[in-house]
Amino acid sequence: RAGKPISGADLIKETTSVSREVFGGWQRSRVHCLHCGHNSDSFEPFLDLSLEASHATLEKALSAYNARERLSGSNAYKCDKCKKLVDAEKSLCVVGAPPILACHLKR
């Protein structure tokens, strides 16, 4: 871009693109029906992972991030295949790791 002025919009687009290139990854959210075994997956991009700071090590915080959460009772899941409220497990997983992983520690 030597010699050419850059607009604010172009600068934001270029910065966002570079940020995504360096820190951008993909995570999968999966809900697994415990009745029929059906998996419902959704994918979303991220620039950082929000981890609980209450864990003693980064390794434990990442394990907790990937831990399965039970959905049941008043928090039951409506399965797309069963077409009814069922017990399920929800989990998050990094499926596309960025070149540099940024972690945000929540207090």
Side-chain angles (χ1 to χ4, degrees), residues 78-99:
K78 183 168 183 187
C79 178
D80 293 336
K81 190 173 180 183
C82 295
K83 305 292 185 205
K84 62 182 180 180
L85 291 174
V86 294
D87 288 352
E89 290 182 335
K90 180 178 180 179
S91 61
L92 291 174
C93 178
V94 173
V95 292

Side-chain angles (χ1 to χ4, degrees), residues 27-78:
Q27 69 179 359
R28 178 191 67 209
S29 173
R30 170 172 283 175
V31 180
H32 176 75
C33 176
L34 296 176
H35 184 260
C36 73
H38 176 71
N39 289 325
S40 176
D41 293 337
S42 61
F43 298 85
E44 68 178 47
F46 68 85
L47 292 175
D48 64 7
L49 296 182
S50 291
L51 305 175
E52 294 291 334
S54 59
H55 299 285
T57 65
L58 181 59
E59 185 177 345
K60 287 181 181 179
L62 285 167
S63 291
Y65 174 84
N66 288 316
R68 293 179 180 168
E69 174 189 353
R70 183 74 180 242
L71 305 176
S72 62
S74 63
N75 196 25
Y77 170 72
K78 183 168 183 187

